[in-house]
Amino acid sequence: MADPPACCAACATCLLCPYSCQCITAKKEKRKGLRTTKCDCSWFLFLFCVFLFTLVWLYFAIIILNDFHNFNEFIFKQRKLWLDWSLVLLIATAVLITYSSVLLVLALCLQLCGQPLKLHWLHKILLILTALVVAAAFTGLGIKWAEEWRSARISLQATGPFLHIGVVGGMTLLAWPLASFVYRTRNTGLKVFLLLVYCAVMIALYLAPLGITSPCLMEENQLPPKPALVGHRGAPMLAPENTLMSLHKAVDCDVQVFETDVMVSADGVPFLMHDEELTRTTNVQAVFPERAALNSTAFNWTDLQQLDAGSWFLERRPFPTVQSLSAGDRHQATQQRIPSLGQALEAAKQSNISIMFDLRPENHSDYQSFVNATLAVILQSGIPLQQVLWLPDGFREQVKQQAPGVQQVYGRKRLQNEKEPLLHVNLPYQDMSSEEIRQYRQDNISVNLYVVNQPWLFSVLWCSGVSSVTTNACQVLKEMKHPIWLLPSSTYLMIWIVVDCVSFLTILWAFLLLKKCSHRRRPAESETDVLLTKINSLMQE
C-alpha cells in the first residue's frame, strides 16, 4: 500500500528486527518487495487500540490506589492472606503499557521510514492476551468494585484540564506518521477516511474544554477553608490501627477527630476493633488458636488484654510508610494492646480532640445492651459530650435522650421531609457531588467524606468546600497548605486557546513539510525505478 521509502538502512533494520522478530536488513526487505498490506494496517489499528485500552487502565489503576487498602482487607478476609496487591497491580499494568507503547513507537517509526509493518505472530498473540487481561480487569472492577467508576468521574475534575492538554499533544504528534502514510499510500479511499477521522477527533479535542468542569477553576479569594482531618482508626500509616499509639500519632498530625470502631466484649466492656474477627490485627491465632475464628464479641476483656495488637503492623506492613518508622516507634508498636473505649475517651479528652465511632456488629442480637454499655462508659468518662460524635443508627433516639449533648452524625443524605434538621453527615466521597457539598455548606450542614488519602482527591474536595475528610494519610494531608492546583477561569481559557492554536499550526506544518519532502523524493524514485527496469530487461535478455 505504500511506496518504498528512503531511510537510513541501519535505523530501519534496528526497527524491523524487534517489530517483525526477523534479523534481516531493510535492503533485503526492499528486495523482497514487501509492502504494508490491508491486514498489516488492521493489526496496526488493533495495536493502537490496545495501547489506548491499557493507557485508560493505567489511569484507573492510579485512581483506585486511594481505596486499595480496602481491597487488601477484603482479600485478607476471604483468603487469610495479606499482601499489598497495589504493587502487583502497578507492576502488571506497567508491563502491559510498556509493551504496547514500545510496539506502537516502533510501528510509527517504521511508518516514518516507509518500512513495511509486518507484525510478528508472537506479538499478535501477546497483544490479544493484553487486551483480554485489561478487559478482564475492567470487568472485575465493574462487578466487584463498581463505586470506583464514580471515583474515576471525580478524578476527571482534578485531571481533566491536564488530560486535555496531554491528549491534544499526543494527537498532534500523531500527525507526522499520519501525513507520511497519506503521502505514500495510493489508496485514495483509505486516505480520505483517515483524514476525516483525524480531523473529527481533533475538532472534538479542541472543543472538549467546553465540557470540562472542576471546582478548582476559581479565583484564589474564592477558595474555602482547608477541610479538617479525621484520623481513620487513628493514623494507620504510622501506627497499628485502633490503638492508643495510633490515636497519639493522629494528634501529632493535627487531626481534629479520632474515628474508630467499637465492639463490646462478652463481659460488657466496649473496646476498639474494626473487624468482626481478631485475626488481622492481633496474634489471636497464636494465643487462642482454637477460638481464632470466633467473633470479637465472644471474648471477655481479660482474654482481649492478652493479645498483641501491634506486632502484625511490623510484620505485614499494611502501608509502605511502615518501613520508615524509627526504632522507637517500632518498639512502641510491639507494646500495643487492644484499648478499651474508656481508655480512648480519656486519651481524646487529654488531647482535646473529638472521637467518632461506629458500634459493631449492628445485626447482633444483644445490640441494645451494646448501646447501653457504650453510653455508660461515655457518661462515666467525663469527656465533654460535644466531643463525642455518634454514628450508629440503631437506638439513636435512646442515645439522644440519655446523652443529649452527644453530636449525632448521620450516614445518609438529608430527606425532603426531614423532621429534625441534620447538622452532621458522614458519607463515602463518591456519594456527594461538588454541587451538593456547596449546597450543604450554604445550609450550615457539616459534611465529612471518607476515605480520602490522595492529595489530588483532597484538593478537589477542598475546592468543593467539604467540612472535613476521614483519611489514612493524615501525615501527608497535614502538609498541604494549598490545593495541588487552582486556576482562574480566565487563565484556563487562555491556556486552552494557546494549546489549540499551537496544535493546529504544528499539524499544518507537519503536513506541508512532509508534502514537500514527498515531492522531492518522487523524481529520484522515478529515475531509480526506470534504471531498475532497464537492468531487469537486460538480465532477462
Side-chain angles (χ1 to χ4, degrees), residues 101-126:
S101 300
V102 170
L103 275 186
L104 182 62
V105 170
L106 287 174
L108 294 176
C109 292
L110 284 171
Q111 174 57 38
L112 284 173
C113 290
Q115 297 299 319
L117 300 180
K118 297 294 180 182
L119 186 65
H120 193 267
W121 63 267
L122 180 59
H123 287 316
K124 294 176 182 179
I125 294 176
L126 292 177

Side-chain angles (χ1 to χ4, degrees), residues 228-303:
L229 300 182
V230 177
H232 185 229
R233 309 173 197 170
M237 289 188 176
L238 305 176
E241 65 179 60
N242 284 335
T243 61
L244 294 181
M245 178 183 178
S246 189
L247 185 151
H248 293 306
K249 288 292 184 181
V251 172
D252 294 340
C253 290
D254 297 334
V255 304
Q256 295 186 12
V257 181
F258 170 62
E259 186 277 338
T260 186
D261 307 275
V262 174
M263 292 193 178
V264 180
S265 67
D267 52 350
V269 179
F271 62 96
L272 307 192
M273 181 60 57
H274 175 268
D275 297 0
E276 292 191 5
E277 295 181 7
L278 300 168
T279 51
R280 183 175 65 87
T281 57
T282 71
N283 63 338
V284 65
Q285 290 177 317
V287 180
F288 303 110
E290 70 285 351
R291 301 166 58 194
L294 295 180
N295 192 287
S296 303
T297 58
F299 293 80
N300 61 44
W301 180 239
T302 304
D303 292 340

Side-chain angles (χ1 to χ4, degrees), residues 501-533:
C501 290
V502 170
S503 169
F504 177 76
L505 293 175
T506 304
I507 292 172
L508 188 63
W509 178 50
F511 274 85
L512 292 177
L513 181 63
L514 289 177
K515 182 179 181 180
K516 185 177 181 180
C517 293
S518 66
H519 286 166
R520 287 181 179 178
R521 196 160 46 236
R522 282 174 183 171
E525 291 176 349
S526 299
E527 293 176 4
T528 303
D529 290 341
V530 171
L531 181 59
L532 289 174
T533 302

Side-chain angles (χ1 to χ4, degrees), residues 36-338:
T36 302
T37 64
K38 291 183 179 180
C39 181
D40 296 328
C41 290
S42 299
W43 277 107
F44 172 77
L45 179 61
F46 181 70
L47 167 60
F48 186 70
C49 292
V50 170
F51 167 75
L52 293 180
F53 202 28
T54 54
L55 194 62
V56 172
W57 173 250
L58 174 64
Y59 179 81
F60 268 84
I62 294 173
I63 296 305
I64 64 178
L65 287 179
N66 181 81
D67 307 315
F68 219 85
H69 187 70
N70 296 339
F71 180 78
N72 291 338
E73 290 185 359
F74 172 77
I75 294 296
F76 182 85
K77 290 178 183 178
Q78 300 296 318
R79 304 296 180 187
K80 302 304 178 185
L81 171 66
W82 183 267
L83 182 66
D84 188 0
W85 294 98
S86 62
L87 293 177
V88 178
L89 173 73
L90 290 177
I91 291 173
T93 303
V95 170
L96 295 178
I97 192 67
T98 300
Y99 173 69
S100 58
S101 300
V102 170
L103 275 186
L104 182 62
V105 170
L106 287 174
L108 294 176
C109 292
L110 284 171
Q111 174 57 38
L112 284 173
C113 290
Q115 297 299 319
L117 300 180
K118 297 294 180 182
L119 186 65
H120 193 267
W121 63 267
L122 180 59
H123 287 316
K124 294 176 182 179
I125 294 176
L126 292 177
L127 282 176
I128 293 174
L129 290 176
T130 298
L132 291 176
V133 169
V134 176
F138 272 116
T139 302
L141 185 68
I143 295 175
K144 293 294 186 181
W145 215 0
E147 62 268 21
E148 291 306 312
W149 294 108
R150 288 179 288 166
S151 300
R153 286 197 294 270
I154 295 173
S155 72
L156 293 177
Q157 298 179 6
T159 61
F162 308 100
L163 283 179
H164 169 252
I165 295 173
V167 174
V168 168
M171 291 300 295
T172 300
L173 293 177
L174 194 61
W176 291 89
L178 176 63
S180 173
F181 180 82
V182 166
Y183 290 132
R184 295 180 192 279
T185 185
R186 297 189 180 99
N187 190 327
T188 305
L190 180 61
K191 183 189 303 186
V192 172
F193 173 76
L194 290 177
L195 287 176
L196 287 176
V197 171
Y198 185 75
C199 289
V201 171
M202 292 309 301
I203 291 173
L205 287 175
Y206 289 157
L207 299 178
L210 294 174
I212 294 177
T213 59
S214 173
C216 292
L217 291 174
M218 65 168 62
E219 300 290 340
E220 181 79 27
N221 56 11
Q222 297 176 325
L223 181 67
K226 180 179 178 180
L229 300 182
V230 177
H232 185 229
R233 309 173 197 170
M237 289 188 176
L238 305 176
E241 65 179 60
N242 284 335
T243 61
L244 294 181
M245 178 183 178
S246 189
L247 185 151
H248 293 306
K249 288 292 184 181
V251 172
D252 294 340
C253 290
D254 297 334
V255 304
Q256 295 186 12
V257 181
F258 170 62
E259 186 277 338
T260 186
D261 307 275
V262 174
M263 292 193 178
V264 180
S265 67
D267 52 350
V269 179
F271 62 96
L272 307 192
M273 181 60 57
H274 175 268
D275 297 0
E276 292 191 5
E277 295 181 7
L278 300 168
T279 51
R280 183 175 65 87
T281 57
T282 71
N283 63 338
V284 65
Q285 290 177 317
V287 180
F288 303 110
E290 70 285 351
R291 301 166 58 194
L294 295 180
N295 192 287
S296 303
T297 58
F299 293 80
N300 61 44
W301 180 239
T302 304
D303 292 340
L304 293 171
Q305 284 295 280
Q306 298 180 44
L307 300 179
D308 179 352
S311 295
W312 70 273
F313 182 70
L314 303 177
E315 295 167 358
R316 293 177 183 154
R317 299 182 179 181
F319 297 98
T321 48
V322 178
Q323 301 178 5
S324 59
L325 292 181
S326 66
D329 285 343
R330 289 174 178 273
H331 175 71
Q332 185 179 359
T334 61
Q335 304 303 309
Q336 296 304 300
R337 294 292 182 267
I338 297 175

Side-chain angles (χ1 to χ4, degrees), residues 226 229 252-254 473-481:
K226 180 179 178 180
L229 300 182
D252 294 340
C253 290
D254 297 334
C474 60
Q475 77 283 1
V476 175
L477 304 188
K478 169 191 174 183
E479 302 300 327
M480 292 184 63
K481 308 302 181 184

